[in-house]
Amino acid sequence: MKSRRPSCTDSGSESSDPDSKSPEKYETTTRRRMAANARERKRMEGLNTAFDCLRKVVPQWGQDKKLSKYETLQMALSYIMALNRILTDPKRHNAPYRQWLDLQFDCDQPENYPCLMRYDSPAGQECIHSSILYQFKSHMVHT
DNA sequence: TAGGCCATCTGGTCCT
DNA sequence: AGGACCAGATGGCCTA
């Protein structure tokens, strides 16, 4: 947890001139501001929890460093679109492929998907799709 | 040291 | 009136 920036309200003073208000009003304003800050922190905490959940379900193979928020959203977008294409493509709409997909996304190795790291490129989602399809074909050949 | 990323504060707006 | 949400500003931390 990072240290919080010193706050005028958190330390008991207000950004606007305290002398321009009655002590009661000033106290009320300060109390409200502090409550609002606390709510905002909690809200951001919830948002970050959601980002962490998203990071867990999005491909991150080969990355020792966690994805930034922006990267996480980009990866999620590419990932969803790739999966959507796979599932809606009639040519690949069969049980073995789906079962294989389930297995792959549960436990396969990062090094099998090097191009997933290029999700932010224009061809990112196509790359993800191709990679998945290639792995499936290889799997079918060897079984 | 610069740049990227992030947490926090803050004021504005909208909604209940 | 008060809460939720948002965007801008600011400053800290980390890495190349």
Side-chain angles (χ1 to χ4, degrees):
Chain A
M1 181 71 161
K2 290 188 177 186
S3 62
R4 289 171 46 201
R5 192 162 54 123
S7 156
C8 50
T9 48
D10 277 5
S11 60
S13 61
E14 177 68 356
S15 53
S16 54
D17 183 10
D19 295 336
S20 63
K21 298 176 184 170
S22 68
E24 296 81 28
K25 259 192 172 176
Y26 170 65
E27 195 179 330
T28 302
T29 304
T30 302
R31 195 168 2 95
R32 283 209 199 119
R33 195 59 260 177
M34 288 175 72
N37 289 346
R39 283 195 304 272
E40 179 65 7
R41 280 196 295 271
K42 195 163 187 177
R43 193 182 71 84
M44 293 308 295
E45 196 179 306
L47 192 60
N48 289 332
T49 301
F51 266 104
D52 286 339
C53 291
L54 191 56
R55 281 188 189 99
K56 281 177 189 162
V57 298
V58 136
Q60 200 178 351
W61 302 313
Q63 291 232 345
D64 42 353
K65 188 168 154 280
K66 81 170 186 181
L67 296 174
S68 71
K69 292 177 180 179
Y70 176 75
E71 289 169 335
T72 303
L73 290 178
Q74 292 292 313
M75 175 59 97
L77 179 63
S78 298
Y79 187 45
I80 289 168
M81 291 183 79
L83 293 178
N84 186 50
R85 285 185 60 182
I86 290 166
L87 293 174
T88 55
D89 188 338
K91 284 179 288 190
R92 301 183 192 107
H93 198 271
N94 55 64
Y97 186 64
R98 287 182 171 217
Q99 286 164 5
W100 177 84
L101 268 181
D102 289 342
L103 282 174
Q104 295 309 298
F105 285 112
D106 277 348
C107 60
D108 210 334
Q109 299 303 304
E111 54 270 25
N112 291 340
Y113 303 89
C115 68
L116 278 173
M117 296 308 112
R118 288 162 45 205
Y119 57 88
D120 56 344
S121 70
Q125 37 181 294
E126 181 58 38
C127 188
I128 291 173
H129 181 268
S130 302
S131 177
I132 292 168
L133 186 60
Y134 173 78
Q135 293 297 321
F136 173 64
K137 284 176 178 170
S138 303
H139 169 78
M140 294 308 280
V141 164
H142 292 103
T143 54

